[in-house]
Amino acid sequence: MSYTKILVDLIKAKMNPIELRIGNWIQYNDESYAIVELLTNQVLIRSDPKWDECLLPKLYSELQPTLLNHNILEECCGFRHFAGYYFDSSRYVRLSKNIATNAYSFEQNIGQNYNHYSFVDEDWSHIVDVLNLHHLQNLYFSITGIELEVRI
């Protein structure tokens, strides 16, 4: 199985330990939590990664992704909607929404153009765009080298 196929499967599936990083925001019992430590069989989460509150150990199977939507992008991630796109504060990154799939495409500003980023399967026949907040956080960091600041 190719690495690309694994990425596509991860995006379509529920939470998987391979796709999570410290600082990712996820859902547990319909509440938002940040991951503060990744262990072999479980994850430690808290409602604010900067607070010194009790850590909650949870199994990976108990976690759910935070789906991207207008409120998450604007209120929690600082993106601004303009001319059909969501731009980050530097206007270095933009997201476009696919109405048919409810997914977001990730594009990076290179001079006068934007490079488009999507996950594709091994034969490049199926594009899978960003659906969840932790995917956006991971892709944003991978492309820009900067952590996406999330305020939930």
Side-chain angles (χ1 to χ4, degrees), residues 11-99:
I11 290 171
K12 292 178 181 176
K14 289 188 174 186
M15 304 298 292
N16 187 307
I18 295 172
E19 68 185 70
L20 296 175
R21 295 183 319 119
I22 292 173
N24 282 158
W25 283 88
I26 48 83
Q27 297 284 309
Y28 171 73
N29 283 345
D30 295 325
E31 296 287 331
S32 295
Y33 292 91
I35 294 173
V36 293
E37 190 168 346
L38 299 165
L39 305 170
T40 304
N41 296 317
Q42 63 184 357
V43 62
L44 298 180
I45 59 175
R46 63 174 86 162
S47 57
D48 186 327
K50 296 177 182 151
W51 290 356
D52 190 23
E53 64 179 273
C54 180
L55 297 175
L56 303 171
K58 298 297 171 194
L59 297 174
Y60 289 104
S61 61
E62 297 178 281
L63 307 178
Q64 296 293 322
T66 301
L67 297 177
L68 287 178
N69 60 42
H70 177 80
N71 290 340
I72 293 289
L73 287 170
E74 286 207 334
E75 295 174 18
C76 301
C77 299
F79 281 80
R80 294 292 170 245
H81 190 257
F82 177 74
Y85 294 97
Y86 288 90
F87 291 92
D88 70 345
S89 60
S90 67
R91 297 182 68 88
Y92 183 66
V93 169
R94 75 179 181 187
L95 300 171
S96 59
K97 185 173 183 179
N98 181 331
I99 302 300

Side-chain angles (χ1 to χ4, degrees), residues 128-144:
V128 180
D129 289 315
V130 181
L131 294 168
N132 303 315
L133 179 55
H134 69 280
H135 295 147
L136 176 60
Q137 287 179 280
N138 295 347
L139 186 58
Y140 191 95
F141 179 76
S142 294
I143 303 299
T144 67

